[in-house]
Amino acid sequence: MKVLVPVKRVLDANVAVRVKADGSGVDLANLKMSMNPFDEIAVEEAIKLKEAGIAAEIVAVSIGPAQAQDTLRTALAMGADSAILVKTDETIEPLAVAKILKSIVDQQAPDLVIMGKQAIDDDSNQTAQMLAALLGWPQATFASKVVIADGKASVTREVDGGLETLELDLPAVISTDLRLNVPRYASLPNVMKAKKKPLEEIDAASLGISLAPTLRVISTARPPERKPGVMVGSVAELVDKLRNEARII
Amino acid sequence: MSILVLAEHDNSALSPATARTVAAALAIGGTIDVLVAGADCGAVADAAARLDGVARVRVADDAAFAHQLAEPVSELVVHLAGDYGHILAPATTTGKSVLPRVAALLDVMQVSDITAVKGPKAFERPVYAGAALQTVEATADTVVVTVRISAFDAVAETGAAPIEPVAFTPAAPKARFVSREAAASEGPELANARIVVSGGRALGSQEQFNAIIKPLADKLGAAIGASRAAVDSGYAPNDWQVGQTGKVVAPDLYVAVGISGAIQHLAGMKNAKVIVAIDKDPDAPIFKLADYGLVGDLFELVPELTESL
Ligand SMILES: Cc1cc2nc3c(=O)[nH]c(=O)nc-3n(C[C@H](O)[C@H](O)[C@H](O)COP(=O)(O)OP(=O)(O)OC[C@H]3O[C@@H](n4cnc5c(N)ncnc54)[C@H](O)[C@@H]3O)c2cc1C
């Protein structure tokens, strides 16, 4: 079985976000970029399937600038077999990302696509679902457990109100939630080995897909600040404030 | 201009998320239809018909929609989409699963998780875990939107809209429902509660979480939430996670107990009206946001607080 894992290069989760003063966006200059945390979980899950003898081959794919090679090398160092960079310097919307991924799926013919449920920059939570729809494949979003057997995927999902288990015919698209696994760190020898693994580059413009954004970003602003609070010295003072100042209890 | 709102429900009751999504539709302006896709869901359609501002309820009552799986429901919505300029769903786990499929099949972008309506096609939405607010305008003819329900107040229930059946048979399913495990929940629902008490990693175990957090929540009539660390450690079910990738709540009162205040947690609660933080570390980032901060050992302070209410 072949597994395709899309990965995105994003601002590292531990870096403080700075909104540009002119409202034109978020300042990413010289800041640490990393693989989207949900995508790390997707890579880990694919490797687990390979270690269990279920997956034979893992292909990582990223859409982005030349620096997204680093993200792909991380996936290779974790255990992916080969990588594809669909190169573009433009900001690509989730719909166009899904279309590009569809063309990669058409070419690679994986049995399973595992990807993050959302990217922590744009927080859109839609690419996996869009890809599944464009392919006419079934989907299981927000996976916290994946079992593959007999050409089917049994996926437990984190949903409002608890957990839900679905059975999907393969091929299928699965999106990962936080509790699916704990991603491994790439060991130094594996980082070295990853440098020799195949990384193919494709020019996004060559795919014949419209990459022009269809949502116009009017402004990007800092959220309003909360007014400063106070420290209280005791439980009694807290209760008094809640009753008589905030009048909330 | 017509707007279709996908109802959130469990076949027997309409979720308050729907009334909040209708409020977002009212802010856009236009004739509002609610679509109820389910099985034996007549009571849900009746409840949807009572929502103010709703012109018509369309009901697809069919075993194929019993579990509201994304594949059949998105086919149904696409089948009806020609009648509408906007398609809205609450940003619940169901809405988030269904609507991007609809958008892709209509070849349009989805505007995810909006927190305000700025114009007929312009919306505000948080990005980067709420560290920035983006205003975006859709350019396509059909505008597909998921709505952050904590950002809109529910419409009232004094209406009496007509209910019309929709006949549609989706393709044979490639995804099948197997089972559902409900998280233990007494008390109010987290997403709609007036007061939320949340516990973090500091609680140390499921037993202590229940022994410390639950009595305070009970006293306050509050729903219980948790940080990711508390959920990952098994102190609380996944459904209780508040944050960027969990639930977003905006209650009148949010009490954070032993939660440091990582940006991913703040993303889920920083719009609460009043925030109380109890933590032993005076430098914990949660105190920068709290209206009332109390420094000390939660294992002493929280029982004392519960006792004094
Ligand atoms: C992609 C991604 C998504 C994420 N999504 C979410 C999300 O949706 N929600 C979320 O919550 N997190 C999320 N996180 C995790 C987040 O970054 C933090 O790791 C998490 O919120 C920390 O939880 P905590 O505050 O309970 O634990 P900690 O940060 O460990 O804080 C524990 C606090 O308890 C205090 N404490 C310890 N003992 C006591 C005591 N006896 N009495 C009083 N105080 C005490 C400590 O001083 C400390 O402030 C996400 C992270 C990533 C990378």
Side-chain angles (χ1 to χ4, degrees):
Chain A
M1 186 172 98
K2 186 168 177 176
V3 183
L4 187 77
V5 188
V7 295
K8 183 177 183 184
R9 178 176 179 266
V10 298
L11 183 64
D12 187 89
N14 298 310
V15 173
V17 173
R18 288 197 309 258
V19 178
K20 289 186 195 159
D22 64 359
S24 66
V26 164
D27 191 359
L28 298 178
N30 303 320
L31 293 175
K32 184 179 177 206
M33 305 292 282
S34 297
M35 188 189 300
N36 180 42
F38 290 96
D39 305 350
E40 289 183 323
I41 295 172
V43 174
E44 176 67 31
E45 197 63 16
I47 299 167
K48 284 215 160 89
L49 289 173
K50 192 171 174 192
E51 288 170 345
I54 295 163
E57 187 189 350
I58 303 167
V59 181
V61 53
S62 191
I63 299 156
Q67 296 93 315
Q69 278 189 4
D70 299 346
T71 315
L72 288 167
R73 290 287 172 206
T74 304
L76 292 169
M78 288 173 75
D81 297 296
S82 62
I84 302 169
L85 172 62
V86 182
K87 213 171 131 190
T88 172
D89 289 324
E90 307 298 318
T91 305
I92 307 287
E93 286 177 344
L95 178 63
V97 169
K99 288 179 182 176
I100 293 171
L101 291 176
K102 178 179 183 296
S103 83
I104 302 293
V105 167
D106 290 343
Q107 174 205 327
Q108 293 284 323
D111 305 281
L112 185 64
V113 178
I114 309 183
M115 54 201 287
K117 77 165 180 180
Q118 77 192 65
I120 60 165
D121 49 5
D122 182 55
D123 281 335
S124 273
N125 194 331
Q126 53 179 321
T127 306
Q129 300 87 314
M130 287 182 152
L131 175 62
L134 295 177
L135 289 165
W137 289 7
Q139 72 180 41
T141 46
F142 325 143
S144 64
K145 188 175 173 206
V146 173
V147 179
I148 309 276
D150 307 323
K152 297 194 173 15
S154 166
V155 182
T156 303
R157 310 174 51 224
E158 296 202 1
V159 295
D160 295 337
L163 296 169
E164 179 185 81
T165 302
L166 300 179
E167 183 190 75
L168 311 182
D169 295 339
L170 296 180
V173 177
I174 295 173
S175 83
T176 60
D177 217 318
L178 291 170
R179 278 164 286 278
L180 181 57
N181 60 50
V182 179
R184 69 194 63 191
Y185 288 104
S187 67
L188 195 58
N190 285 342
V191 171
M192 300 314 286
K193 265 192 242 160
K195 293 189 175 153
K196 299 206 186 74
K197 289 186 179 177
L199 194 161
E200 181 194 351
E201 262 188 44
I202 301 174
D203 182 3
S206 73
L207 295 172
I209 293 165
S210 167
L211 305 176
T214 61
L215 292 185
R216 199 165 65 83
V217 179
I218 298 171
S219 68
T220 305
R222 234 196 312 256
E225 303 269 330
R226 286 184 75 92
K227 65 169 175 40
V230 295
M231 301 304 284
V232 295
S234 68
V235 166
E237 192 186 340
L238 175 61
V239 172
D240 176 63
K241 294 272 190 203
L242 290 175
R243 284 210 174 114
N244 302 316
E245 190 175 89
R247 295 172 195 273
I248 205 104
I249 57 170
Chain B
M1 200 162 48
S2 294
I3 304 174
L4 184 68
V5 171
L6 182 63
E8 173 85 13
H9 66 94
D10 63 359
N11 291 321
S12 52
L14 183 70
S15 159
T18 309
R20 292 167 180 264
T21 308
V22 169
L26 279 173
I28 293 167
T31 310
I32 301 169
D33 287 356
V34 172
L35 172 63
V36 177
D40 295 320
C41 54
V44 175
D46 292 343
R50 288 192 289 273
L51 296 179
D52 283 10
V54 173
R56 175 171 66 154
V57 177
R58 306 180 78 174
V59 190
D61 195 331
D62 189 306
F65 305 121
H67 301 289
Q68 296 171 57
L69 297 193
E71 296 80 2
V73 177
S74 56
E75 279 179 51
L76 168 67
V77 175
V78 169
H79 172 71
L80 300 174
D83 299 344
Y84 301 98
H86 291 75
I87 299 172
L88 272 59
T92 55
T93 49
T94 305
K96 286 181 197 168
S97 295
V98 171
L99 233 57
R101 277 189 91 101
V102 171
L105 295 172
L106 296 174
D107 196 23
V108 302
M109 267 293 290
Q110 169 180 285
V111 187
S112 297
D113 213 15
I114 64 158
T115 48
V117 175
K118 299 284 189 182
K121 290 186 169 190
F123 309 95
E124 176 193 88
R125 56 178 305 265
V127 293
Y128 287 94
L133 292 175
Q134 221 171 44
T135 301
V136 295
E137 186 168 40
T139 55
D141 289 340
T142 310
V143 182
V144 176
V145 173
T146 58
V147 176
R148 176 172 290 193
I149 58 175
S150 65
F152 294 87
D153 289 329
V155 297
E157 299 174 34
T158 62
I163 299 174
E164 292 175 11
V166 176
F168 176 77
T169 310
K174 295 181 197 166
R176 289 163 296 275
F177 174 85
V178 177
S179 62
R180 194 175 177 105
E181 195 185 308
S185 70
E186 307 141 43
E189 195 200 339
L190 179 57
N192 293 291
R194 196 180 75 82
I195 302 181
V196 174
V197 178
S198 285
R201 191 198 309 273
L203 273 305
S205 71
Q206 188 183 14
E207 293 70 37
Q208 294 189 133
F209 194 102
N210 290 335
I212 300 284
I213 299 295
K214 196 168 175 307
L216 177 58
D218 287 348
K219 248 316 181 12
L220 290 167
I224 304 180
S227 71
R228 173 190 175 184
V231 176
D232 283 3
S233 310
Y235 309 162
N238 62 279
D239 181 44
W240 293 2
Q241 182 177 314
V242 171
Q244 179 187 20
T245 56
K247 289 219 167 54
V248 179
V249 298
D252 290 345
L253 175 61
Y254 188 91
V255 184
V257 177
I259 294 179
S260 64
I263 179 170
Q264 294 90 356
H265 187 80
L266 305 185
M269 43 64 77
K270 67 178 176 185
N271 289 325
K273 286 206 185 74
V274 175
I275 296 172
V276 170
I278 301 176
D279 199 288
K280 72 173 181 193
D281 175 5
D283 297 323
I286 190 81
F287 288 126
K288 293 207 185 70
L289 207 75
D291 298 282
Y292 303 111
L294 181 57
V295 175
D297 182 4
L298 72 91
F299 294 102
E300 287 165 23
L301 295 174
V302 176
E304 190 188 334
L305 174 60
T306 308
E307 199 54 37
S308 64
L309 290 171

